[in-house]
Amino acid sequence: MKLRTILFSLAAVGFCTGAAAQAPIVIKFSHVVAADTPKGKASEFFKKRAEELSKGKVKVEVYANSALYKDKEELEALQLGAVQMLAPSLAKFGPLGVKEFEVFDLPYIFDDYADLHRVTQGPVGAGILKRLEPKGIVGLAYWDNGFKSFSANTPLRSPADLKGKKLRIQSSKVLEEEVRTIGGLPQVMAFSEVYQALQTGVVDGTENPHSNMYTQKMHEVQKHLTVTDHGYLGYAVIANKKFWDGLPADVRGNLETAMKEATTYANKIAQEENDKSLEAIKKSGKTQVYVPTKDEKLAFKKALVPVHQKMEGRIGKGLIESIYKETGFDPAKL
């Protein structure tokens, strides 16, 4: 009887071990925007491809719209291992101590997506991602959202029209300086709280890519939007380093492939989604959309580019100049 009991116990242990070995690796992927934004769609694309390529070895659970964590909580949650992947906006890494990421917040440092991708898909961008590793974070990719426009309840035809306005920004010293440079009052606030703050007049306006503005219904509580394209909003897709390094090599390879495909997809749809959202904002009739003339846009550019020099001590003059070299931008020619 004892031998039978021992054999049965060993068989049970073997069965449990086998079942555990076959259980999928769960990746909690948290983000703070709506599921139908470029980031939301790209994270679902990554989930699909990761699960397909790994043949079920991985299960990706996507949590959109701050369902798990808000802006200020998510990076700490990743470092603690409560979630395995995030795609925070690039402005989030300055407060973490990696100030180099704030170079992406500099107004008018990129003229278009071609300029941007020379950096995010080249050695300069890769070098910035590497700086996350001492924080226990692996940088996997950059995903675009789009270029930002200013909105308010009064017309915005020139930088002077933003003077005295309380403008919601992300937590970024560069964005604080940007708003102060044009005479505005920067208000740092979690993304999930912006709609109500605009609705109640806690803030007068904000800056957002059009897809964020539309999907969060901010256009319903803002009367004017000026297509300034003054700054870039993008994301770094990141993972908990201990988790990532501990993955079986084949699974990590599957995830790297899935991420490469998701990045191509994310960046393709970002511009499309922002263009569609701008049209939807126009059609809503709730917000008057204004496209500045060439001279008006140049006035915004001349007003905001001095922020680059002001932030050299914080971000690093060498890094800013390396981006100028990649894009061909020369502030002296404005």
Side-chain angles (χ1 to χ4, degrees):
M1 283 293 291
K2 280 185 180 180
L3 181 60
R4 282 171 61 187
T5 303
I6 291 167
L7 289 172
F8 178 78
S9 298
L10 288 171
V13 169
F15 174 77
C16 292
T17 305
Q22 290 172 21
I25 298 165
V26 175
I27 297 175
K28 289 183 179 177
F29 189 155
S30 171
H31 65 81
V32 300
V33 298
D36 56 350
T37 57
K39 178 164 66 171
K41 290 180 178 180
S43 58
E44 290 292 343
F45 183 98
F46 171 75
K47 166 186 167 66
K48 181 173 179 287
R49 291 301 290 140
E51 291 174 355
E52 287 171 353
L53 290 166
S54 68
K55 295 181 168 57
K57 290 181 183 176
V58 168
K59 183 186 177 190
V60 180
E61 297 175 354
V62 178
Y63 297 89
N65 239 350
S66 307
L68 279 186
Y69 299 102
K70 290 185 179 180
D71 280 326
K72 291 178 182 176
E73 306 161 345
E74 60 176 10
L75 277 169
E76 186 180 2
L78 182 90
Q79 289 174 300
L80 293 171
V83 292
Q84 288 71 46
M85 288 181 70
L86 301 173
S89 59
L90 299 170
K92 300 279 177 60
F93 298 107
L96 191 68
V98 191
K99 296 171 187 174
E100 291 84 354
F101 277 90
E102 290 184 354
V103 77
F104 292 102
D105 290 335
L106 289 172
Y108 291 113
I109 195 163
F110 307 110
D111 272 342
D112 51 33
Y113 285 101
D115 276 359
L116 168 71
H117 293 156
R118 287 186 191 101
V119 174
T120 57
Q121 296 172 17
V124 175
I128 296 171
L129 285 178
K130 274 279 181 192
R131 294 177 181 273
L132 291 170
E133 294 189 8
K135 306 288 182 183
I137 296 169
V138 173
L140 303 175
Y142 294 97
W143 285 359
D144 294 343
N145 183 321
F147 288 92
K148 296 181 288 187
S149 290
F150 284 119
S151 67
N153 284 324
T154 52
L156 305 173
R157 299 287 189 269
S158 73
D161 293 331
L162 287 160
K163 191 173 181 180
K165 293 275 191 297
K166 290 178 288 182
L167 298 175
R168 180 269 170 178
I169 58 164
Q170 294 175 286
S171 180
S172 161
K173 296 298 180 187
V174 173
L175 297 181
E176 284 181 28
E177 188 58 50
E178 169 197 282
V179 172
R180 288 197 185 100
T181 295
I182 49 175
L185 305 170
Q187 311 287 312
V188 175
M189 185 179 295
F191 185 68
S192 58
E193 297 167 9
V194 180
Y195 176 90
Q196 189 175 7
L198 291 169
Q199 186 182 41
T200 56
V202 171
V203 294
D204 301 311
T206 186
E207 53 164 22
N208 267 299
H210 307 134
S211 64
N212 276 9
M213 187 174 187
Y214 182 68
T215 56
Q216 294 291 322
K217 302 186 189 302
M218 294 179 200
H219 66 291
E220 295 181 357
V221 288
Q222 291 280 265
K223 292 177 183 175
H224 294 271
L225 169 70
T226 296
V227 183
T228 46
D229 289 334
H230 63 277
Y232 170 69
L233 177 62
Y235 310 109
V237 189
I238 58 175
N240 175 286
K241 189 175 189 302
K242 187 177 178 183
F243 168 80
W244 189 260
D245 291 348
L247 289 169
D250 62 326
V251 170
R252 191 164 54 248
N254 295 150
L255 294 177
E256 286 168 351
T257 301
M259 183 54 61
K260 190 174 180 181
E261 292 179 14
T263 301
T264 300
Y265 171 77
N267 295 347
K268 177 180 177 292
I269 66 167
Q271 190 167 5
E272 294 170 5
E273 291 291 319
N274 279 295
D275 290 346
K276 282 181 194 172
S277 292
L278 184 60
E279 287 308 307
I281 290 168
K282 288 177 183 175
K283 285 178 184 174
S284 76
K286 295 179 179 180
T287 298
Q288 186 177 330
V289 176
Y290 182 73
V291 178
T293 65
K294 189 177 178 181
D295 286 345
E296 285 171 335
K297 190 163 183 180
L298 184 59
F300 276 103
K301 201 167 187 175
K302 284 181 174 178
L304 286 168
V305 164
V307 175
H308 297 201
Q309 193 172 1
K310 290 178 184 177
M311 289 289 111
E312 282 178 355
R314 181 176 176 84
I315 296 169
K317 186 177 180 180
L319 177 57
I320 294 171
E321 288 179 348
S322 72
I323 291 181
Y324 289 170
K325 189 177 177 184
E326 289 290 328
T327 64
F329 178 64
D330 183 355
K333 289 183 179 177
L334 283 180

